Amino acid sequence: MAGPRSDHHVILRVVAKPLIPIIALFALYVHFHGDYSPGGGFQAGVIIVVAVVLYALVFGITPAMRAVPPVFARSLAALGFIIFAGVGVWALIMGGNFLDYDVLFNEEPGGHMGQHYGIIAVEVGVLFAVAGSMLSIFYAFAGRVTEIKDEDW
Amino acid sequence: MIAGYSGADLAIALINVLLLGLLFVVGVAIARMRSLFAIVMLSGIYSLISATWFVALDAVDVAFTEAAVGAGISTALLLGAMLLTARTAKPEKGAMQIVPILVVLATGAMLVYATIDLPAFGDPDSPANTYVGTDYLERTPREIAVPNIVTAVLASYRGFDTLGETGVVFTAALAVILLLGFGERSLSATFNRKKDKK
Amino acid sequence: MLEFVLERGNYWAIIGLMMIGLYTLFAATNLIKKLVGLSIFQTSIILFYISLSRIDGGTAPILYGKDAKGHSGGHDEAAGAHGAASEAAHAASDAAHGAADAAHGAASHGLEHVYSNPLPHVLMLTAIVVGVATLAVGLAIVVRIREAYGTIESDEIRETDLEVARAEYAVDQADEANPA
């Protein structure tokens, strides 16, 4: 927004500004703590998107698109899916079945390292794919130019 | 057996009744409302109440997802779609309402009849709760070593399933982009609007 | 009788919610309202699955206490004795499982605490995320319908379609009447 800011949303802006990084941080907590508590890639991806949506609602869609470009969002979605499928292919290359994490590091039977890192990698893939997809969807709706005028509200 | 309902079980039964009552009120309000803004907001409230109910039913992961997705993203999407379409819904025609009511009553009666054969609520020996579900509970500690069994099943035992779901979400994003465009058009549109004002 | 009602009251309430969603889906002419009805219907199915997965006296399926301990070897792989010791433990616990399965119905299943069934949780968790993705596709189609027809009321859309079809038919008839 190039013009002078209208001031009737000042409280909203002041409250939202510190809240957005906290929401993003909470998303990371939910993601990396997903093994031990409720949470995981799906939830964390959505929460990160919620942070961007809040930014777009309060500060306008154009600054939000400048902060997180739509190109980045859709690339992130594709990258996440590739990471997920890539872990499966990695297991294939190591001689196991598709997405069989036990063989990832050629470890002794009874070791849990493969499962541990396999799950983390797959959850990162889910996080990227869900966050990128949901953000692309939001941008597609928010970026469509409205025909209805504001006065009709 | 009323005597069996004591302590925590009784509390959960009461919470169930309360939350289901709230869901009913919100659902009927959605069905009768005509302002789309109110409908969208009530659907967000509906999602939040059902998330609370999921917590009472021990499904914490599902509650988390429902609260984040149902009340967060889907409300934002519905509002965005409403901005692009209409503000109010047309009222249903009086004579036309009777047909859906009859269909709904008939379907509901059939479904209620079918519940007679269902296992009791909270039955540990029901078919759904015995074989594969408990198997995951037993095997996760030694095979996956992750305390949250939902994560273990989601990412490891049923990883292929989750890969498919991720693919569906990605495909849905592609479909929306194909239908509505990337969204970058709004950047030029806002500049044009500014120019028009000047 | 009362016991029967208490055991199934949940299902009936969920069926009631599902029917509210179905009614909204049928009766509403507004496409966005229809989609909201569809999502109510979907949420009620998720509620049904989750209430099937509940076990009396159970807790959320996150291992705690003794169930979670003794398996933390996954994090410190350095514990060399882990392998052999746990192998023996597995053999013992497998035997115990066999006994438990034989005497089916013992809710313990080799674990200290009772947990709800995690499988429906997993299925419904992904169903919610996929549900919002499909809702987004539906809304996108509604937006395109609004741009093409100028309305999102299904009966008005049908009338517009009918008028266009009639007009095309009239043009066709006129062409056939004088092929020159």
Side-chain angles (χ1 to χ4, degrees):
Chain A
M1 302 259 162
R5 282 178 175 172
S6 56
D7 255 340
H8 55 285
H9 289 321
V10 66
I11 293 176
L12 204 58
R13 271 203 200 93
V14 170
V15 174
K17 217 165 207 170
L19 215 54
I20 288 165
I22 292 174
I23 293 174
L25 198 64
F26 180 61
L28 291 177
Y29 166 77
V30 166
H31 179 81
F32 289 106
H33 227 249
D35 290 0
Y36 305 100
S37 61
F42 281 106
Q43 292 92 334
V46 173
I47 293 172
I48 282 187
V49 176
V50 165
V52 182
V53 168
L54 180 63
Y55 186 76
L57 288 180
V58 175
F59 296 95
I61 186 70
T62 318
M65 279 187 182
R66 209 175 295 144
V68 187
V71 186
F72 175 73
R74 48 184 190 265
S75 318
L76 196 70
L79 179 71
F81 191 68
I82 289 172
I83 289 176
F84 200 142
V87 174
V89 174
W90 179 14
L92 277 183
I93 290 170
M94 296 302 285
N97 288 323
F98 190 67
L99 287 173
D100 179 8
Y101 310 137
D102 280 328
V103 298
L104 287 184
F105 298 107
N106 265 336
E107 56 190 335
E108 307 271 305
H112 295 303
M113 202 169 73
Q115 290 287 351
H116 214 69
Y117 289 100
I119 288 178
I120 286 177
V122 160
E123 292 270 8
V124 166
V126 170
L127 171 82
F128 284 3
V130 169
S133 304
M134 290 295 166
L135 199 56
S136 301
I137 291 173
F138 174 73
Y139 277 157
F141 277 101
R144 197 88 183 167
V145 184
T146 37
E147 292 173 24
I148 304 172
K149 294 189 180 62
D150 287 345
E151 292 85 65
D152 291 349
W153 268 97
Chain B
M1 191 163 57
I2 274 289
Y5 279 82
S6 61
D9 277 350
L10 186 69
I12 284 180
L14 285 178
I15 289 171
N16 276 350
V17 171
L18 189 72
L19 291 177
L20 280 172
L22 276 174
L23 283 178
F24 254 110
V25 172
V26 175
V28 171
I30 289 176
R32 292 181 56 89
M33 284 261 180
R34 283 181 46 213
S35 160
L36 280 183
F37 184 72
I39 288 176
V40 170
M41 283 301 145
L42 281 175
S43 81
I45 291 172
Y46 186 91
S47 289
L48 272 183
I49 296 172
S50 53
T52 319
W53 201 51
F54 289 141
V55 175
L57 290 181
D58 300 338
V60 279
D61 276 276
V62 183
F64 205 157
T65 318
E66 178 74 35
V69 173
I73 291 288
S74 82
T75 309
L77 290 181
L78 279 166
L79 279 178
M82 200 188 72
L83 266 175
L84 295 170
T85 51
R87 299 287 176 272
T88 49
K90 254 187 10 182
E92 287 93 32
K93 287 180 202 119
M96 288 298 286
Q97 265 177 315
I98 194 78
V99 181
I101 285 180
L102 286 178
V103 171
V104 160
L105 284 180
T107 319
M110 275 192 278
L111 287 175
V112 168
Y113 176 67
T115 58
I116 293 173
D117 282 344
L118 278 178
F121 176 64
D123 182 5
D125 292 327
S126 68
N129 289 339
T130 39
Y131 302 101
V132 65
T134 44
D135 221 37
Y136 287 139
L137 280 172
E138 287 168 24
R139 302 170 92 186
T140 299
R142 63 194 149 96
E143 288 184 357
I144 316 279
V146 160
N148 187 354
I149 295 167
V150 174
T151 301
V153 179
L154 182 87
S156 187
Y157 287 119
R158 286 176 177 251
F160 201 74
D161 197 351
T162 311
L163 178 67
E165 309 270 9
T166 314
V168 170
V169 173
F170 180 59
T171 314
L174 283 186
V176 171
I177 285 173
L178 285 175
L179 281 164
L180 294 183
F182 289 125
E184 275 134 348
R185 200 186 299 174
S186 74
L187 292 176
S188 58
T190 41
F191 286 127
N192 286 341
R193 212 176 294 157
K194 287 249 170 59
K195 254 183 248 162
D196 289 349
K197 268 182 193 164
K198 277 169 196 167
Chain C
M1 185 64 204
L2 187 62
E3 185 190 355
F4 184 80
V5 170
L6 278 176
E7 281 171 347
R8 281 160 189 78
N10 257 35
Y11 304 142
W12 297 341
I14 290 166
I15 288 170
L17 291 174
M18 189 190 271
M19 289 307 113
I20 290 175
L22 190 64
Y23 172 78
T24 314
L25 195 57
F26 266 138
T29 52
N30 187 293
L31 294 177
I32 288 189
K33 199 174 168 186
K34 266 184 203 284
L35 281 177
V36 172
L38 193 64
S39 72
I40 290 180
F41 192 93
Q42 185 198 354
T43 310
S44 72
I45 289 171
I46 292 168
L47 289 171
F48 177 67
Y49 265 71
I50 297 301
S51 70
L52 273 184
S53 80
R54 195 187 129 71
I55 291 176
D56 273 338
T59 182
I62 296 172
L63 301 174
Y64 70 101
K66 264 188 201 149
D67 297 337
K69 277 177 202 149
H71 302 290
S72 55
H75 311 304
D76 43 358
E77 221 61 42
H82 173 74
S86 67
E87 283 300 300
H90 288 173
S93 70
D94 279 347
H97 289 162
D101 283 346
H104 198 76
S108 63
H109 293 293
L111 295 169
E112 191 192 12
H113 304 281
V114 181
Y115 300 98
S116 287
N117 186 0
L119 183 57
H121 298 184
V122 176
L123 300 178
M124 290 307 106
L125 196 156
T126 46
I128 292 173
V129 179
V130 169
V132 76
T134 48
L135 175 76
V137 177
L139 288 173
I141 294 173
V142 171
V143 168
R144 292 309 297 261
I145 288 175
R146 166 70 170 69
E147 284 167 4
Y149 287 84
T151 177
I152 56 166
E153 304 288 340
S154 57
D155 50 345
E156 287 172 15
I157 292 168
R158 207 159 41 231
E159 269 163 35
T160 314
D161 274 346
L162 211 61
E163 269 166 33
V164 170
R166 279 204 197 106
E168 279 176 358
Y169 182 71
V171 170
D172 270 8
Q173 290 293 83
D175 282 354
E176 275 171 25
N178 37 347

Short mmCIF file of all heavy atoms in Angstrom, two decimals, chain C residues 24 45 64 71 83 114 124 133 154 163-164:
data_model
loop_
_atom_site.label_atom_id
_atom_site.label_comp_id
_atom_site.label_asym_id
_atom_site.label_seq_id
_atom_site.Cartn_x
_atom_site.Cartn_y
_atom_site.Cartn_z
N THR C 24 -29.92 -29.10 4.41
CA THR C 24 -29.37 -27.86 3.85
C THR C 24 -28.91 -28.08 2.41
O THR C 24 -29.13 -27.25 1.54
CB THR C 24 -28.19 -27.39 4.70
OG1 THR C 24 -28.58 -27.46 6.07
CG2 THR C 24 -27.81 -25.98 4.38
N ILE C 45 -19.97 -37.18 9.71
CA ILE C 45 -19.38 -38.51 9.47
C ILE C 45 -18.10 -38.66 10.26
O ILE C 45 -17.82 -39.71 10.84
CB ILE C 45 -19.15 -38.70 7.96
CG1 ILE C 45 -20.49 -38.88 7.28
CG2 ILE C 45 -18.27 -39.90 7.71
CD1 ILE C 45 -20.43 -38.89 5.80
N TYR C 64 2.18 -43.04 27.46
CA TYR C 64 2.79 -42.33 28.58
C TYR C 64 3.10 -43.33 29.68
O TYR C 64 2.68 -44.49 29.63
CB TYR C 64 1.88 -41.21 29.08
CG TYR C 64 0.62 -41.67 29.77
CD1 TYR C 64 0.52 -41.67 31.15
CD2 TYR C 64 -0.46 -42.12 29.03
CE1 TYR C 64 -0.64 -42.09 31.77
CE2 TYR C 64 -1.62 -42.54 29.64
CZ TYR C 64 -1.71 -42.52 31.01
OH TYR C 64 -2.85 -42.94 31.62
N HIS C 71 11.39 -47.88 25.73
CA HIS C 71 11.48 -47.90 24.27
C HIS C 71 12.14 -46.64 23.77
O HIS C 71 12.18 -46.38 22.60
CB HIS C 71 10.09 -48.00 23.66
CG HIS C 71 9.37 -49.23 24.13
ND1 HIS C 71 9.74 -50.47 23.74
CD2 HIS C 71 8.33 -49.37 24.98
CE1 HIS C 71 8.93 -51.35 24.33
NE2 HIS C 71 8.08 -50.71 25.08
N GLY C 83 20.12 -53.77 21.79
CA GLY C 83 19.69 -54.76 20.81
C GLY C 83 19.33 -56.10 21.44
O GLY C 83 18.19 -56.54 21.37
N VAL C 114 -5.02 -47.99 29.07
CA VAL C 114 -5.97 -48.24 27.99
C VAL C 114 -6.00 -47.00 27.10
O VAL C 114 -6.12 -45.88 27.58
CB VAL C 114 -7.38 -48.51 28.56
CG1 VAL C 114 -8.34 -48.80 27.44
CG2 VAL C 114 -7.33 -49.66 29.53
N MET C 124 -9.46 -39.95 9.87
CA MET C 124 -10.27 -38.74 9.88
C MET C 124 -9.40 -37.49 9.81
O MET C 124 -9.81 -36.48 9.25
CB MET C 124 -11.14 -38.70 11.14
CG MET C 124 -12.23 -39.72 11.13
SD MET C 124 -13.23 -39.62 9.64
CE MET C 124 -12.68 -41.02 8.73
N ALA C 133 -9.64 -29.14 1.15
CA ALA C 133 -9.11 -28.96 -0.21
C ALA C 133 -10.23 -29.10 -1.24
O ALA C 133 -10.33 -28.29 -2.18
CB ALA C 133 -8.01 -29.99 -0.47
N SER C 154 -29.27 -21.82 -7.66
CA SER C 154 -29.29 -22.90 -8.64
C SER C 154 -30.52 -22.83 -9.54
O SER C 154 -30.44 -23.18 -10.72
CB SER C 154 -29.22 -24.25 -7.93
OG SER C 154 -30.27 -24.37 -7.02
N GLU C 163 -33.32 -20.91 -21.05
CA GLU C 163 -33.55 -19.83 -22.02
C GLU C 163 -32.54 -19.92 -23.16
O GLU C 163 -32.91 -19.80 -24.33
CB GLU C 163 -33.41 -18.47 -21.33
CG GLU C 163 -34.72 -17.96 -20.77
CD GLU C 163 -34.48 -16.81 -19.82
OE1 GLU C 163 -33.51 -16.05 -20.05
OE2 GLU C 163 -35.24 -16.68 -18.84
N VAL C 164 -31.28 -20.15 -22.82
CA VAL C 164 -30.25 -20.24 -23.86
C VAL C 164 -30.55 -21.41 -24.79
O VAL C 164 -30.47 -21.29 -26.02
CB VAL C 164 -28.86 -20.41 -23.20
CG1 VAL C 164 -27.82 -20.75 -24.24
CG2 VAL C 164 -28.47 -19.14 -22.47
#
